[in-house]
Amino acid sequence: SYTTDTKSGEENQKTIDSLHELSVDVKKVRRLKEWVLLQDVAYVKEISAILQEMGADETSVANILERCPEAILRTPAEINSQRTLWQLVCQNEKQMIKLVEQFPESFFTTKYHENQKANILFFQELGLKNNIITRFLTSAPNIFYNPVEKNKDVIETLQRSYLSLGGSDANMKIWIMKLLSQNPFILLNTSTAIQENLEFLQKNDFTDHEVLQLLSKLKGFIFQLTPTTMQKSMRFSKNAFKCSDQELKQLVLKCPALLYYSVPILEERLQGLLKEGISIAQIRETPMVLELTTQIVQYRIKKLSALGYDIKSGTLESLNGTKKDFEVNYGKIQSKKERPIFNPVAPLNIED
């Protein structure tokens, strides 16, 4: 689409002048992707005109070209094709240009145009809403670079697996949609890898219902693992908690992170908790605490200690959950501590 021959390492003065006219910080471009400035052919004015036609002001155009300088190496025809393509899922050009400003690399990757188009149409047929597809286009663009047959194959494997694990036909579409919207990167796996991971769980005595439960809890991230990494993580947890296979299975169902995180991460988090004086028995009781980084755990313990709450003798439930969950728990403990022993407005029972 453009020539990659360079003038013996010399910058193209015409390109530099055109970028200066658009108030683009050429020093920034030079620092990020100098090779763009060495190309014989560039379409600075043409690409700028298309972006402005789409609704970008001068500042936005400069920002886009600073962040993604290779945009000027695409031909106007390529960019117009990409624009038509994104119109299939964007509400209007105002929304489109906003996305281009935030994710210019996704928009200006025109190499896989036919695959992108075929995949957009496939996702629409599958029933995915356009706002989900635009989120995929910007945050997981690689899934559109696959040939559509590859994505169809993965979806079909997931559908077959769901039904073979006891899922119902009626719920299958909802399950697939939810899984994809939580983790579109599932589509970067092969159908063989998906099959192997499910078989690994079944060989480790997880029932079909439990495997489905894990798939939903892990939001499909299980497909980014391998039987070897899962085996290592499970072996580590079994030794750390000194538990039987059955007990380990229950711990994994309670906290799928034991399956998902690698041994070094689990080891670091476990050591961090032990250093704070927390016992293995407490962690075993509330394994979900291993989903938190050591820094988050330390911060939460510090906040609770300031209220006089002793984490060593209490439950780890108060440490758990998202930032919002923790703030709610913290607020409850705080108000309990601040509450007066007697109610000053309650009538006193005084005998005559």
Side-chain angles (χ1 to χ4, degrees), residues 166-182:
S168 71
D169 257 323
N171 291 331
M172 183 175 69
K173 190 178 174 183
I174 297 166
W175 183 77
I176 290 280
M177 296 294 152
K178 195 174 178 187
L179 209 57
L180 275 178
S181 51
Q182 286 173 332

Side-chain angles (χ1 to χ4, degrees), residues 346-351:
L348 294 174
N349 276 334
I350 304 169
E351 288 180 20

Side-chain angles (χ1 to χ4, degrees), residues 277-291:
I278 291 163
S279 68
I280 285 285
Q282 280 177 296
I283 302 166
R284 194 170 156 171
E285 195 61 41
T286 317
M288 294 78 75
V289 79
L290 289 165
E291 291 173 4

Side-chain angles (χ1 to χ4, degrees), residues 6-64:
T6 62
K7 299 177 187 171
S8 62
E10 280 180 31
E11 289 182 351
N12 184 332
Q13 196 55 47
K14 193 181 168 193
T15 301
I16 290 169
D17 293 343
S18 300
L19 289 171
H20 275 310
E21 277 173 38
L22 293 168
S23 306
V24 172
D25 184 344
V26 176
K27 283 181 188 169
K28 197 174 179 183
V29 174
R30 203 172 273 132
R31 201 168 57 243
L32 281 175
K33 292 177 181 173
E34 194 192 12
W35 58 272
V36 171
L37 303 174
L38 306 177
Q39 307 307 317
D40 278 346
V41 178
Y43 301 93
V44 184
K45 288 176 181 169
E46 294 88 338
I47 301 308
S48 161
I50 294 171
L51 290 171
Q52 286 179 339
E53 209 179 282
M54 285 163 68
D57 58 25
E58 284 175 29
T59 311
S60 297
V61 171
N63 285 339
I64 290 167

Side-chain angles (χ1 to χ4, degrees), residues 223-257:
F223 299 127
Q224 283 160 247
L225 306 173
T226 66
T228 313
T229 57
M230 289 191 278
Q231 184 73 63
K232 284 178 182 171
S233 297
M234 283 175 76
R235 199 178 296 132
F236 171 79
S237 299
K238 190 179 176 182
N239 292 335
F241 293 114
K242 296 177 174 55
C243 58
S244 67
D245 288 342
Q246 191 54 37
E247 287 168 330
L248 176 64
K249 199 176 88 162
Q250 292 312 313
L251 283 172
V252 168
L253 288 169
K254 234 178 171 183
C255 174

Side-chain angles (χ1 to χ4, degrees), residues 78 82 85 106 108-119 141-147:
E78 285 174 321
Q82 199 72 339
L85 188 66
S106 303
F108 290 107
T109 301
T110 57
K111 193 177 164 188
Y112 308 94
H113 184 81
E114 288 310 312
N115 285 357
Q116 288 185 59
K117 186 176 182 178
N119 279 307
N142 338 23
I143 66 172
F144 292 87
Y145 307 158
N146 287 336

Side-chain angles (χ1 to χ4, degrees), residues 190-333:
T190 63
S191 39
T192 317
I194 290 172
Q195 213 55 56
E196 282 173 0
N197 284 358
L198 296 178
E199 282 166 14
F200 168 81
L201 293 172
Q202 287 168 317
K203 280 176 196 162
N204 277 274
D205 294 330
F206 286 93
T207 65
D208 288 352
H209 175 71
E210 286 166 345
V211 173
L212 263 187
Q213 206 181 317
L214 279 173
L215 294 191
S216 302
K217 276 190 176 179
L218 276 167
K219 300 175 181 174
F221 285 111
I222 196 163
F223 299 127
Q224 283 160 247
L225 306 173
T226 66
T228 313
T229 57
M230 289 191 278
Q231 184 73 63
K232 284 178 182 171
S233 297
M234 283 175 76
R235 199 178 296 132
F236 171 79
S237 299
K238 190 179 176 182
N239 292 335
F241 293 114
K242 296 177 174 55
C243 58
S244 67
D245 288 342
Q246 191 54 37
E247 287 168 330
L248 176 64
K249 199 176 88 162
Q250 292 312 313
L251 283 172
V252 168
L253 288 169
K254 234 178 171 183
C255 174
L258 293 176
L259 202 60
Y260 179 67
Y261 288 124
S262 64
V263 172
I265 290 175
L266 289 172
E267 201 163 16
E268 186 216 331
R269 291 183 181 186
L270 197 66
Q271 288 307 317
L273 289 163
L274 296 176
K275 274 180 193 165
E276 294 293 336
I278 291 163
S279 68
I280 285 285
Q282 280 177 296
I283 302 166
R284 194 170 156 171
E285 195 61 41
T286 317
M288 294 78 75
V289 79
L290 289 165
E291 291 173 4
L292 305 169
T293 66
T294 306
Q295 289 80 354
I296 290 173
V297 166
Q298 286 168 343
Y299 166 76
R300 292 183 180 183
I301 289 174
K302 206 173 173 183
K303 278 197 86 170
L304 291 169
S305 299
L307 292 179
Y309 184 89
D310 184 14
I311 202 77
K312 293 170 209 168
S313 55
T315 166
L316 300 186
E317 285 296 335
S318 47
L319 280 182
N320 252 349
T322 60
K323 188 182 178 185
K324 195 178 175 185
D325 297 334
F326 173 72
E327 293 302 338
V328 170
N329 283 331
Y330 177 78
K332 283 178 186 170
I333 294 167

